[in-house]
Amino acid sequence: MHTDLYETARALVAEGKGILAADESTSTIKKRFDSIGLESTEENRRAYRDLLFTTPGVEEYISGVILFDETIRQSALDGTPFPELLASKGVIPGIKVDLGAKPLPLAEGETITEGLDGLRERLEEYYKLGARFAKWRATYSITDDLPSEYCIWTNAHALARYAALCQEAGIVPIVEPEVLMDGTHTIERAYHVTCRVLFALYTELFDQRLDLPGTLLKPNMVLSGYEASSRAGIDEVAEWSLRAYTKHVPAAVPGIVFLSGGQSDEDATAHLNAMNARGPHPWQLSFSYGRALQAPALNAWGGKPENVEAGQRAYYHRAKMNSAAQTGTYAPELEREAVSV
Ligand code: 13P
């Protein structure tokens, strides 16, 4: 079983490839559709995912797609179930299995991610539906006093519990500890918090017997707070981020696949590129973006059937730009190629 986990983890971070996070929960996708004035019906959600998954040629840049529970059960217009459609293009289907971040009791302003009860049985079903990797996201806010050690360690424990159940089921766990970048904090503060979070996470993963070559890490990049008065530039972001991962992420982990976390599309690409340009590193550095891969596609589509191709072109372009960033060969001039295909 372990060899399969290793192979899947390595395939997800193959050279020039990364992951599309299309696992927005029903409430999150509603927010995205609200931004283009589209009602969030089951059919509209299906049509949007259909647009992304049938984009011609994008499999050159995309190794895997993270799906939501509803989406893994939906099909393309010709009746092919989405996981089957993706697998036929050599794209690995994945599944979000956490049930969301809920208030952490006795800890105002902090959250704990839920979803462990019944997870063994859910993983068994997802495997049958075609999922070969999974995702669980924990979140941590930065203030003058937060995050607390209580929040950091309870979430690390839950992430490791989830990850162990995934490996038992033959599914590669992506562990996603997201330090949120809202606030006025400095990049140094983001670095220290990210280090504490990663230290706790890998302590728990070791304690709970995880086999690290069969896992992937999905962290935040180390950034200044979005409301900070002076914000670090691309090179500083790359340097502080690499310092944190070099110190805390074991070389046995095959890959780090970043979330975009509200960065602009082009910032997310430029930051990844700057890190890879400083390679080689012990692990592959790639992307697992939601918003930074999808925003231009969603806007170009606007919910209109006549705009499906425009949406696909926009998604293809961002996937190609991030693929270049994965090999450290991105340059902002490449953005100009954008529209005509
Ligand atoms: P963003 O890239 O939009 O942060 O989403 C990635 C993700 O999967 C968050 O859990």
Side-chain angles (χ1 to χ4, degrees):
M1 182 175 88
H2 278 178
T3 7
D4 288 354
L5 290 174
Y6 292 7
E7 265 173 36
T8 302
R10 277 199 304 262
L12 286 167
V13 291
E15 188 167 336
K17 289 192 180 185
I19 297 170
L20 166 67
D23 59 322
E24 296 83 0
S25 61
T26 311
S27 61
T28 303
I29 198 73
K30 181 178 179 313
K31 280 191 231 153
R32 305 278 185 267
F33 282 8
D34 282 348
S35 75
I36 56 164
L38 181 68
E39 196 188 342
S40 182
T41 61
E42 184 175 350
E43 175 48 26
N44 283 343
R45 294 191 292 270
R46 194 209 63 74
Y48 177 56
R49 269 64 181 250
D50 196 317
L51 174 160
L52 296 172
F53 305 161
T54 59
T55 296
V58 79
E59 56 274 14
E60 194 181 336
Y61 312 121
I62 298 293
S63 56
V65 174
I66 316 175
L67 305 166
F68 183 59
D69 181 78
E70 176 185 88
T71 323
I72 200 170
R73 302 167 195 283
Q74 286 177 323
S75 301
L77 273 185
D78 69 0
T80 313
F82 281 145
E84 204 178 297
L85 172 84
L86 292 167
S88 73
K89 293 167 177 271
V91 176
I92 304 171
I95 181 77
K96 167 197 176 76
V97 302
D98 68 70
L99 299 179
K102 305 288 160 62
L104 179 66
L106 310 182
E108 202 174 328
E110 300 198 284
T111 61
I112 178 74
T113 300
E114 294 189 349
L116 290 172
D117 289 353
L119 182 56
R120 176 176 273 134
E121 293 72 25
R122 289 166 59 219
L123 287 167
E124 200 181 314
E125 188 196 6
Y126 288 139
Y127 187 95
K128 287 191 192 131
L129 289 169
R132 292 296 176 270
F133 73 103
K135 174 190 116 171
W136 178 289
R137 170 174 175 259
T139 60
Y140 315 82
S141 296
I142 300 184
T143 67
D144 288 346
D145 312 314
L146 304 182
S148 64
E149 289 297 302
Y150 166 36
C151 172
I152 288 175
W153 286 93
T154 46
N155 274 296
H157 189 267
L159 275 159
R161 288 269 288 118
Y162 138 82
L165 285 161
C166 284
Q167 288 198 331
E168 180 190 78
I171 289 180
V172 170
I174 296 187
V175 288
E176 181 179 0
E178 177 175 5
V179 179
L180 300 167
M181 293 298 149
D182 304 302
T184 56
H185 57 266
T186 61
I187 193 165
E188 287 88 342
R189 175 114 177 93
Y191 166 79
H192 286 297
V193 171
T194 301
C195 286
R196 283 166 60 206
V197 164
L198 292 175
F199 172 75
L201 175 63
Y202 282 97
T203 303
E204 286 291 345
L205 292 177
F206 280 122
D207 279 359
Q208 296 189 41
R209 308 183 178 177
L210 268 293
D211 194 16
L212 294 185
T215 67
L216 293 173
L217 173 67
K218 177 163 173 170
N220 53 284
M221 295 181 192
V222 176
L223 308 173
S224 316
Y226 289 142
E227 292 85 39
S229 48
S230 113
R231 303 199 51 220
I234 292 170
D235 290 330
E236 267 184 289
V237 167
E239 278 156 26
W240 283 104
S241 298
L242 287 171
R243 202 170 297 165
Y245 316 132
T246 305
K247 211 165 158 188
H248 290 289
V249 184
V253 174
I256 299 179
V257 290
F258 294 100
L259 58 94
S260 58
Q263 302 177 60
S264 74
D265 313 332
E266 291 181 21
D267 278 357
T269 307
H271 288 148
L272 175 62
N273 186 68
M275 284 187 258
N276 276 315
R278 285 164 171 74
H281 303 296
W283 356 254
Q284 291 295 316
L285 295 181
S286 189
F287 56 91
S288 174
Y289 294 159
R291 283 162 288 179
L293 271 173
Q294 293 185 47
L298 185 67
N299 289 324
W301 175 55
K304 301 195 173 70
E306 64 272 25
N307 292 340
V308 165
E309 260 182 55
Q312 292 186 329
R313 276 199 301 273
Y315 167 48
Y316 182 92
H317 177 70
R318 284 264 50 86
K320 187 174 175 184
M321 294 299 100
N322 286 304
S323 164
Q326 201 283 322
T327 58
T329 58
Y330 168 79
E333 297 77 60
L334 297 174
E335 297 288 350
R336 285 193 220 118
E337 287 176 15
V339 192
S340 58
V341 170

